[in-house]
Amino acid sequence: MSRIVIWFESIVGGGHLQVADMLARGALAAGLETHLVSGSFHRSPDLDFGGAVQHAYPKELGLHHEAARGYVTSNGIPLASAGALLERRRVFLHDVIEEVRPDAILTEHWPFGRGHLDREILPVIEAVKAARPWTRLYGSARDVMLLAEGEHAGGSADASADIVNRFFDRIFVHADPAFVRFEDSFPATARIEAKLSYTGYLVHPMSRREIWPDERRPVVVSCGAGRTQDGADLYLAAIACRQLLPPRHPLAVRPWQLFVSPAYDEEFLQFVRERASASGREVDVVSNLPGPAFRAALVNAALSISLGGYNTVIETYAADVPAVLLPYHNRAGGQSRRAQAFAVLGKMVVLPHAGRCDPRCLRSALERAWSKRHVKQRPLRLAGEGALGAQIAHDLAEVGAMPTS
């Protein structure tokens, strides 16, 4: 059986964990012995990655992100000053690969993002390719790769392209090329285009929509698995917006469910619950990570309100419910680009960032989204995890059995 090692990190929220889970399941479904290497497993303990073998970095080698200081170690040291920690992480990754001796390595997000971890990953890749040049190297990239300055491996898009051309056999782009193309957001695409393989979007299986009375279908509010000010603002704006709706409004006669990430502290969760209780309306506040329970709520929803992360947007599309998207605001603007693209498909409305705290702006966006509930969405290519697994298995079968040492 061919073996694959998948490396990933999910530092700010939980989106990359969800992607890694789907990548692992795709590899397993293709018959590959699948190993995962990460320091992020603890962020979503309910994920089992389809039974793939998990190799967790020791807790002291974990990474975090702070709004004011960026990436830091578990001890609060800025990553730029943590050369010793990155060296220990490099050794850990190297040792796992030497133990597993994989036929293929898949890096999620790197080398397009995670440039702050170049000192960990690049020497390992160089060593593997020098010792066992037949090892296939794959990269996993999202639909939109707008990154802030310095996020790219090597510090720039051109440097990322240099790494791809030097080491990588194939880059999997998790998008539908008839809808969003890699060159729309990655400026050096022309230099690596021959190595791109579009898989379609990754999406977890959605449960079947239950037969419920329409007035019991909830409005679902979610902000992913991270902790951001945009998310906090949206929760509070949603509660205030609920109070603005006339009692007989079709969105007021149904329950609202707020899925609050456990990344927010208990004090904030309690504050949101108090606001919801004081509103006098049926608003249920739960602390819950994205996963099966959230997807079940989403597929049975009347309408969704959320940020614009990759997984949430794709799941909302797959659930076929109208939605208001508030893209997370950062220097790069990747979520904004994705939200604007998906709004064209028919059922999603983008709430401008300036209106994130204004319940009147949110109400206006809700009205527009609700008016689109019967629109038939344009079809998209999905099930990208299956396409990825099948392609890797095909590639490995073509090269045949490799030496084990």
Side-chain angles (χ1 to χ4, degrees):
M1 177 185 290
S2 296
R3 297 178 297 278
I4 186 170
V5 167
I6 301 174
W7 177 94
F8 77 97
E9 283 291 3
S10 198
I11 301 173
V12 177
H16 293 277
L17 272 159
Q18 298 289 329
V19 167
D21 180 64
M22 289 182 279
L23 297 179
R25 291 174 186 275
L28 287 163
L32 303 176
E33 180 186 310
T34 304
H35 297 254
L36 293 154
V37 184
S38 180
S40 306
F41 295 118
H42 66 284
R43 297 182 186 275
S44 192
D46 292 339
L47 284 177
D48 68 358
F49 301 92
V53 181
Q54 298 178 27
H55 303 267
Y57 287 96
K59 186 176 181 180
E60 65 269 19
L61 301 185
L63 304 173
H64 305 277
H65 185 272
E66 296 180 357
R69 299 197 298 160
Y71 296 104
V72 298
T73 70
S74 58
N75 296 325
I77 300 172
L79 197 55
S81 305
L85 178 138
L86 289 173
E87 172 60 16
R88 291 177 63 194
R89 285 177 60 94
R90 181 199 68 78
V91 170
F92 182 87
L93 176 59
H94 175 270
D95 288 350
V96 170
I97 289 174
E98 288 304 298
E99 175 189 344
V100 175
R101 295 292 177 120
D103 303 283
I105 298 171
L106 172 63
T107 58
E108 191 272 332
H109 203 49
W110 191 87
F112 302 102
R114 302 278 182 258
H116 52 284
L117 297 178
D118 285 355
R119 286 182 288 171
E120 169 189 341
I121 308 169
L122 190 54
V124 174
I125 296 302
E126 290 173 334
V128 169
K129 280 295 192 178
R132 296 182 294 280
W134 55 81
T135 305
R136 305 282 293 194
L137 184 58
Y138 299 100
S140 162
R142 297 184 180 192
D143 55 343
V144 177
M145 292 302 297
L146 284 174
L147 299 174
E149 184 178 352
E151 282 286 303
H152 291 287
S156 70
D158 276 324
S160 293
D162 288 340
I163 293 171
V164 169
N165 285 326
R166 183 179 173 194
F167 296 110
F168 281 76
D169 296 283
R170 193 185 296 273
I171 300 295
F172 291 109
V173 181
H174 307 309
D176 181 341
F179 173 57
V180 171
R181 297 193 61 83
F182 203 56
E183 59 263 30
D184 296 341
S185 58
F186 184 69
T189 298
R191 297 184 51 208
I192 61 172
E193 192 154 14
K195 296 193 175 188
L196 299 184
S197 289
Y198 288 88
T199 64
Y201 282 91
L202 306 173
V203 62
H204 280 102
M206 305 295 288
S207 59
R208 181 175 297 179
R209 189 172 175 88
E210 301 288 346
I211 301 174
W212 290 352
D214 180 70
E215 67 273 11
R216 298 313 301 161
R217 296 197 180 279
V219 173
V220 171
V221 183
S222 64
C223 295
R227 175 181 177 174
T228 65
Q229 187 59 52
D230 284 354
D233 292 340
L234 189 58
Y235 290 129
L236 300 178
I239 294 170
C241 175
R242 177 83 163 83
Q243 293 178 280
L244 291 180
L245 296 174
R248 295 185 180 276
H249 190 284
L251 294 176
V253 298
R254 61 187 72 247
W256 285 39
Q257 291 181 321
L258 273 62
F259 285 82
V260 179
S261 165
Y264 291 95
D265 57 32
E266 185 63 31
E267 182 180 0
F268 176 77
L269 180 63
Q270 186 59 33
F271 177 66
V272 173
R273 285 179 171 152
E274 289 172 358
R275 283 286 189 94
S277 177
S279 72
R281 303 295 181 94
E282 189 178 354
V283 180
D284 183 28
V285 181
V286 295
S287 178
N288 195 287
L289 285 166
F294 169 73
R295 289 191 289 273
L298 183 61
V299 81
N300 287 295
L303 184 142
S304 168
I305 305 171
S306 72
L307 301 182
Y310 179 92
N311 299 294
T312 303
V313 171
I314 305 306
E315 289 171 354
T316 302
Y317 170 86
D320 197 29
V321 297
V324 174
L325 303 178
L326 168 65
Y328 171 62
H329 184 69
N330 60 12
R331 291 179 297 164
Q335 285 201 11
S336 294
R337 179 75 65 89
R338 179 180 300 111
Q340 295 293 344
F342 272 80
V344 175
L345 297 179
K347 284 190 171 178
M348 301 186 194
V349 170
V350 180
L351 178 67
H353 189 260
R356 73 193 185 283
C357 298
D358 189 338
R360 294 166 300 177
C361 289
L362 180 54
R363 177 184 172 179
S364 175
L366 283 179
E367 299 277 12
R368 285 183 285 129
W370 184 244
S371 72
K372 296 172 179 286
R373 63 192 181 279
H374 298 305
V375 172
K376 184 176 176 61
Q377 296 187 104
R378 169 182 162 183
L380 281 183
R381 183 177 164 193
L382 302 177
E385 61 280 5
L388 174 140
Q391 183 63 64
I392 293 175
H394 178 269
D395 290 348
L396 296 178
E398 269 196 337
V399 299
M402 293 293 106
T404 59
S405 61

